[in-house]
Amino acid sequence: MDTPRNALFEALLREYGYTHRSLAAEVNRVSEGIYGRPGAATDRDVRRWVSGAVRWPTGRYLLPLTQMFDRPPEAMGFVPRGRSSRLPAPPAPARPGQEEPVKRREFLTASTAVTLSLVLRLEETPVRGRLTMADIDRITATIGRLDAHFTAIGGGALLTVATAYISRLRDAVDGCTYGPRVEERLHSAISGLYSSAGWAAHDSGDGTAARLHHAAALQSAILAQDPGAQARAWSNLSLQARAEGRHREALSITRAALNSRKARQDPRISALLHFRLAIGHARLGDRRATARALLAAESAYDRFDTAAPAPAWLRFLDAAEIAGLAAIAHQATGQLPDAEIATSEALRLLGPSMHRNRAYYGVQLAELQLAQGDTTRARATAAVVDTVAVSSPRIADRLATVHRLLATA
């Protein structure tokens, strides 16, 4: 009897843009993050998973697959066979205070960038000839997948990829021919890519590059006449100003963005901007204004149309992120117990693939516990923060600071 083909898994490969070879490379990379050494999957292994010849991959590859696609094995079409077909638990994280050698971190970042470039097939975007709407759709989908990788693992490894793709798209602007509608969509895509690059630079601790990318995102959004892209750029500029300690400027930028028609019409954008406003007021010590902005943000969140898909760049704004943003505002106003409760809620609600946000809010929880003098719980929290699968120097530095403070507590 013929073995049934794994159509579910095959469809996932198409949806995420993987070839057999690029999927094997990504499985090996994720496996290294989990087990400390790279996997040995090949395109032949992937063909056997797709064809159904292997109904339940070995745990060495199954655990990375569940993280990459954010779903259990059965939802990928794999069929368990008795007690031996159980998803293995990941190995215990390194002991507190243990840090990866710098060379290893650099290697992982470089290998991730190379793998992502291959997976996303950036070189397939034309830089000569005529661009069509179909080309723009592919470009937009590629940027959406890049955003998804950022959400999962952080921006450290993505900055090189994003800036390289920006260069390629700018070559397409100058080297291709296209009509007015394609031109607007192309500038809109470039705006989104600049925003992604700005976030990646921010995650890497490069504030100067982040500010330049966010400003370029706004310029491209204006050229595209895209209100959504403009709102995104304004939101990011507000966050960057706050990160640099320019809190009044951040408030002014956020207020300007909230006055846009797009923010009034789209509750997702409105919620994000009101949270930015709440954190800005909190940084300036205005508790009443903070409470008003938080109430407005939660009201906008209640109006989300859950039946309609969110834009790729706003998919991170879920219940977990809502709790996390509220925690940041509470922390800034000195309401540390409320901030701790909200941070714990964010961690509880996070999906299994959100490695970056889990590390981010894990560090935040340890910081809050340490600030309240609870070194025992802070030590336990910091001990389980896993940054192995995360490429974010900013988060790693904050975790190292927590460990240093705990060592002297």
Side-chain angles (χ1 to χ4, degrees), residues 140-212:
T140 303
T142 296
I143 296 170
R145 292 200 298 275
L146 185 63
D147 284 340
H149 280 282
F150 169 82
T151 303
I153 67 173
L158 305 187
L159 184 55
T160 301
V161 180
T163 51
Y165 199 36
I166 286 170
S167 178
R168 188 168 187 89
L169 290 186
R170 294 188 72 86
D171 286 344
V173 169
D174 290 331
C176 294
T177 59
Y178 37 77
R181 284 183 62 232
V182 169
E183 181 176 14
E184 287 185 356
R185 287 279 306 277
L186 181 57
H187 283 300
S188 183
I190 292 173
S191 174
L193 191 54
Y194 268 124
S195 289
S196 298
W199 264 103
H202 175 72
D203 226 33
S204 300
D206 190 342
T208 301
R211 187 167 57 253
L212 291 173

Side-chain angles (χ1 to χ4, degrees), residues 338-401:
D338 290 340
E340 182 180 350
I341 291 170
T343 303
S344 296
E345 180 71 358
L347 286 166
R348 185 184 68 81
L349 294 171
L350 277 172
S353 68
M354 305 289 279
H355 305 297
R356 179 204 177 269
N357 282 7
R358 186 166 298 282
Y360 180 92
Y361 287 122
V363 173
Q364 180 168 291
L365 183 60
E367 290 170 339
L368 287 164
Q369 291 165 341
L370 188 57
Q372 294 174 87
D374 193 342
T375 55
T376 301
R377 285 202 301 152
R379 188 170 283 109
T381 299
V384 297
V385 174
D386 182 10
T387 58
V388 172
V390 176
S391 178
S392 173
R394 194 163 60 98
I395 295 174
D397 288 345
R398 284 176 59 185
L399 180 59
T401 300

Side-chain angles (χ1 to χ4, degrees), residues 31-96:
S31 181
E32 182 171 19
I34 296 171
Y35 297 103
R37 59 188 189 280
T42 66
D43 55 345
R44 180 175 180 273
D45 292 307
V46 180
R47 285 196 298 273
R48 286 167 62 80
W49 301 337
V50 170
S51 69
V54 172
R55 307 292 300 280
W56 189 266
T58 179
R60 173 72 184 227
Y61 301 137
L62 197 58
L63 192 57
L65 287 169
T66 62
Q67 292 191 10
M68 289 162 56
F69 293 115
D70 192 14
R71 64 199 73 198
E74 292 83 355
M76 292 185 281
F78 296 122
V79 181
R81 293 184 176 182
R83 297 175 64 87
S84 63
S85 294
R86 291 181 177 175
L87 186 63
R95 294 188 302 275

Side-chain angles (χ1 to χ4, degrees), residues 195-237:
S195 289
S196 298
W199 264 103
H202 175 72
D203 226 33
S204 300
D206 190 342
T208 301
R211 187 167 57 253
L212 291 173
H213 285 311
H214 290 319
L218 180 60
Q219 177 181 310
S220 293
I222 292 170
L223 289 174
Q225 301 180 61
D226 184 339
Q230 291 176 42
R232 180 184 184 183
W234 280 121
S235 172
N236 290 339
L237 283 167

